[in-house]
Amino acid sequence: MLSRLAGVVVPVFGRLTVTTETGAAPPAGSIVIANHTSLSDPAVVLAALRRLGADPVVLAAAGLWRIPVLGRVLTWEGHIPVHRHNPRAAQALRDAQAALAAGRSVLLYPEGGLPHRKGVREAPPRPFHPGLFHLARSTGAQVVPLGQAGARALASGSPLEQVARLLTAPLRRPRLHVHVGAPLYVGSEQAQALALAGSALTRAWCAAARRLGAPVVPGSPCLPGSGGTDAEVG
């Protein structure tokens, strides 16, 4: 339901394009990692994955389950609440392991929360929390990097700015792009695994930012330019 809803709503608010490095959806039973830049990017990511034919289980902040209706939908669809800094945090790992064992793909945001910065400029992914490593090591699942750019034009800044951007988005219809990289195995050593996954996600984000010609923060590891030759979907 959430993926279907995202697939309908996101094109109203922006112009979404999707490219893949392999020309295929993330494999079943893989861990999809995405960069997290705004409150709007989960919808963008789900809409892109639905366009590829994928409907992942999402690991999301437990607070979303307290929202009326949404919480019930999240539970019904099998999405997984993450209780950060809480003894129940380990349950999210067990639930994600079970979803992968059942052949479902799992979507998570390895950076954790949202960045504390202003403006709509794109920035590379921040350092990862170790949860990704523990999940990949315990299951042997492949990791699929998914980079997205443009979502900050839908919702970023102060609460007032976020509301203003969201309300005007159907008129502006900003460009949004998602790039799905090739699956990889991250290995059994934590520091190296997180570095490998971080580099892969940064490359996927760079591909998305270049596709849009999006402005990036100073010092970013890539610059906007040509869109590249990866396969476009839809």
Side-chain angles (χ1 to χ4, degrees), residues 13-14 23 34 48 64 89 92 161 178 182 218 227 232:
F13 286 82
L64 295 176
E161 289 173 325
V178 167
E232 183 164 341

Side-chain angles (χ1 to χ4, degrees), residues 64-81:
L64 295 176
W65 272 254
R66 294 194 293 269
I67 300 174
V69 181
L70 177 60
R72 290 196 295 273
V73 171
L74 290 169
T75 299
W76 180 65
E77 293 192 344
H79 300 298
I80 300 170

Side-chain angles (χ1 to χ4, degrees), residues 171-183:
L171 297 175
R172 296 181 291 112
R173 298 196 70 237
R175 294 176 63 211
L176 313 165
H177 191 77
V178 167
H179 179 78
V180 182

Side-chain angles (χ1 to χ4, degrees), residues 174-204:
R175 294 176 63 211
L176 313 165
H177 191 77
V178 167
H179 179 78
V180 182
L184 68 151
Y185 290 102
V186 296
S188 59
E189 198 283 316
Q190 179 170 315
Q192 292 180 358
L194 294 179
L196 180 62
S199 295
L201 184 54
T202 297
R203 288 194 299 272

Side-chain angles (χ1 to χ4, degrees), residues 135-146:
L135 182 58
R137 184 182 182 188
S138 64
T139 61
Q142 291 178 299
V143 174
V144 178
L146 183 155

Side-chain angles (χ1 to χ4, degrees), residues 55-135:
D55 186 14
V57 172
V58 182
L59 276 77
L64 295 176
W65 272 254
R66 294 194 293 269
I67 300 174
V69 181
L70 177 60
R72 290 196 295 273
V73 171
L74 290 169
T75 299
W76 180 65
E77 293 192 344
H79 300 298
I80 300 170
V82 178
H83 299 270
R84 295 190 180 93
H85 313 298
N86 185 297
R88 291 180 290 173
Q91 185 61 46
L93 177 62
R94 292 190 288 269
D95 290 343
Q97 290 168 338
L100 290 167
R104 296 288 303 274
S105 294
V106 170
L107 169 65
L108 61 84
Y109 288 90
E111 301 164 86
L114 291 167
H116 299 290
R117 58 185 175 85
K118 299 179 180 180
V120 298
R121 286 180 177 271
E122 296 293 326
R126 291 161 290 129
F128 290 179
H129 291 281
L132 167 63
F133 168 73
H134 295 307
L135 182 58

